[in-house]
Amino acid sequence: MEMQGQSSNESKSSTETHASRMMDQGKKSSFRMVLDCDENGMPNLCKYYEIQSCYTMDPIPFSLQDEAEETEEAEETEFTKSDTEEMEMADKLFALGRKGWESAWGDDCGNFEDRTVLSPMHFTHCTPGLIPYAARTVSTLQIYSVKIVGTDGKLKLPLHVYGIVAARDAVDYNRNILFSRRRENCQKLTPEDPFLRLTDPSRAIVAVDHVDFEVQLKVKGSSRSRDRALMSHCFTYAGGYHEGLHTTFSSNSFCTVEFSYERLTETVQATILSARVVEGAPWPFEYGGRIMSSSPPQEVTDSLSRQVVLVDSHRSDDGGEMPMGSDGYIDLSRHVVSVELEESLQFVIQAYSQSGDAIARQGSVRFRTKYCNISRAICEIGDSKVEITVAWSQLAKHKRDIL
């Protein structure tokens, strides 16, 4: 793992002292320090602690109370002096990384908070056989889930989380948002659902070069002044050619954020334009449901480790109801997935039973991968039919290729 810091001896000493203290606290951290600055003393990369997949631990899930037990008088986390110092150091490191990004990319890429504006359908309407040179089939990262687990039970009940989780690739170095919640729309984590509700990336994450991840999460308190930092951290996926499911842990003394993802080679991006109930009675999602995609097609398992969950009424903010628009359209949480050229894209649609803990009906449909254009297919689920519409597009390796 690598971390960049200030070039002054004082800052370097302070940072190394803090790093040593963290390593001495146990086997929760394993990294080495590299202070890499340019000739002007400015950090030239946005890298801090990178925690590799070989990093192992035995995380303890947060012990959360039922909603019925939540009151305004709920106990809140009281940080020790050491805890406060650790969070302050994390904030300083994050701020240092921001300065490094602004120094390296600010002139060409805008503000640090700017989001990527490249469309996942940039090459969708190309003519087959006449696709521009800038359109590529490159390696991408498929993000499956981001999970929050506890480390030593410091966080008290209840746990309402808000903030940002984002990725930056070498296409434009801007934020590609994975999770974004404001304080007034925070997410409640429970033992049954410790996963952040991801909202895409807005386009495929290109993994030809390194990919930087940013985590800025807070826990909502009884008032804004009582809010507490949960994690402020950056880490880097440095690439490589390993295959299969990969897990990376980003950890501090309060929690561990667990990223589950996979590197796919020679991919196109599929944008799910719509999922619409076009025929059927009774309504198939009376008690809620779930829609997932996978490539290559995977059997649905309890862990759902290699399934991209596009929508799940059990994890929605609508009280367990399937989030719907007008004319039978289902409101999906995620829309963009990566698909390898040699594979197909499968959708599995499930309708929950009245008890809510079983699948009453299930159907699936597969799409053949395309370089461009739009595909439609019908998935039968019981007596109902759901139409899935997918837009296909190749990717841009760098934004300058399409300017």
Side-chain angles (χ1 to χ4, degrees):
M1 303 179 189
E2 298 181 351
M3 183 183 69
Q4 299 196 335
Q6 295 172 314
S7 59
S8 68
N9 293 332
E10 180 180 353
S11 298
K12 179 177 179 181
S13 176
S14 175
T15 305
E16 290 179 336
T17 299
H18 176 74
S20 300
R21 183 177 60 81
M22 290 182 64
M23 288 189 287
D24 291 340
Q25 289 178 345
K27 296 183 179 180
K28 296 178 183 177
S29 301
S30 179
F31 58 93
R32 64 186 180 89
M33 299 278 297
V34 177
L35 302 180
D36 188 6
C37 301
D38 61 22
E39 59 184 6
N40 297 319
M42 293 297 296
N44 52 24
L45 287 176
C46 182
K47 295 184 180 180
Y48 307 140
Y49 311 131
E50 183 186 351
I51 304 177
Q52 305 289 351
S53 59
C54 61
Y55 176 81
T56 58
M57 62 187 305
D58 185 18
I60 304 170
F62 287 124
S63 175
L64 301 178
Q65 292 175 325
D66 295 333
E67 186 172 355
E69 296 177 351
E70 295 178 13
T71 67
E72 293 183 357
E73 303 300 326
E75 185 178 2
E76 296 182 358
T77 303
E78 294 296 336
F79 286 178
T80 65
K81 181 179 180 181
S82 177
D83 296 336
T84 302
E85 289 176 350
E86 180 178 347
M87 297 311 298
E88 288 177 349
M89 177 59 68
D91 289 340
K92 289 179 180 179
L93 292 174
F94 197 96
L96 185 62
R98 174 171 181 152
K99 290 182 179 179
W101 185 94
E102 291 171 344
S103 175
W105 313 113
D107 291 342
D108 297 326
C109 303
N111 295 323
F112 182 79
E113 295 88 356
D114 286 352
R115 302 185 181 193
T116 181
V117 296
L118 295 183
S119 170
M121 299 182 289
H122 189 87
F123 301 106
T124 292
H125 299 294
C126 292
T127 302
L130 297 175
I131 299 176
Y133 173 77
R136 307 292 184 90
T137 54
V138 298
S139 173
T140 58
L141 288 185
Q142 182 78 277
I143 307 297
Y144 293 116
S145 65
V146 179
K147 180 181 179 182
I148 308 294
V149 292
T151 53
D152 57 9
K154 284 187 177 181
L155 290 174
K156 305 301 180 181
L157 311 178
L159 189 65
H160 295 82
V161 174
Y162 67 97
I164 284 181
V165 179
R168 296 180 191 265
D169 59 22
V171 175
D172 58 8
Y173 299 101
N174 293 130
R175 277 179 168 172
N176 198 342
I177 300 296
L178 302 174
F179 173 85
S180 180
R181 291 247 177 174
R182 303 174 72 91
R183 187 178 188 274
E184 56 270 21
N185 186 36
C186 59
Q187 178 188 338
K188 178 186 175 184
L189 298 179
T190 68
E192 296 76 24
D193 184 14
F195 296 91
L196 296 181
R197 294 169 192 157
L198 303 184
T199 54
D200 283 328
S202 60
R203 61 167 174 80
I205 302 172
V206 175
V208 175
D209 201 348
H210 69 270
V211 178
D212 292 325
F213 288 91
E214 298 172 2
V215 182
Q216 281 188 298
L217 298 174
K218 289 187 176 182
V219 176
K220 181 181 178 181
S222 57
S223 64
R224 187 174 293 274
S225 63
R226 300 290 293 174
D227 291 357
R228 294 291 183 265
L230 180 62
M231 179 169 289
S232 182
H233 189 63
C234 290
F235 69 93
T236 297
Y237 170 81
Y241 299 94
H242 58 273
E243 297 180 355
L245 191 66
H246 191 76
T247 303
T248 294
F249 300 94
S250 180
S251 184
N252 61 20
S253 64
F254 309 109
C255 75
T256 295
V257 181
E258 178 182 321
F259 287 77
S260 177
Y261 58 91
E262 183 175 11
R263 180 183 180 273
L264 305 178
T265 60
E266 199 174 359
T267 65
V268 295
Q269 51 191 339
T271 303
I272 298 87
L273 295 178
S274 66
R276 181 190 181 195
V277 179
V278 295
E279 182 180 325
W283 173 249
F285 303 111
E286 180 180 1
Y287 306 108
R290 180 169 61 182
I291 301 179
M292 300 160 289
S293 70
S294 62
S295 179
Q298 302 284 324
E299 292 186 6
V300 179
T301 62
D302 292 338
S303 64
L304 299 177
S305 57
R306 297 182 69 187
Q307 302 276 348
V308 176
V309 179
L310 305 174
V311 63
D312 188 348
S313 63
H314 281 176
R315 300 179 61 197
S316 72
D317 296 326
D318 298 320
E321 296 182 0
M322 199 68 160
M324 302 295 301
S326 59
D327 299 325
Y329 285 97
I330 300 169
D331 186 18
L332 303 178
S333 301
R334 303 183 68 179
H335 297 84
V336 179
V337 296
S338 296
V339 186
E340 290 186 319
L341 284 177
E342 301 300 322
E343 301 292 348
S344 59
L345 177 62
Q346 175 180 267
F347 291 88
V348 174
I349 303 178
Q350 299 175 328
Y352 291 132
S353 64
Q354 184 174 5
S355 64
D357 57 359
I359 304 300
R361 294 175 298 279
Q362 176 173 302
S364 64
V365 63
R366 293 188 184 186
F367 287 80
R368 181 175 60 88
T369 305
K370 295 182 177 182
Y371 287 98
C372 58
N373 290 346
I374 294 176
S375 304
R376 290 185 176 87
I378 297 293
C379 178
E380 296 186 358
I381 175 170
D383 296 328
S384 301
K385 294 182 179 180
V386 178
E387 181 186 67
I388 305 290
T389 304
V390 176
W392 301 92
S393 175
Q394 290 180 253
L395 301 96
K397 193 174 180 180
H398 195 280
K399 68 176 183 179
R400 63 171 173 264
D401 296 338
I402 59 176
L403 292 178

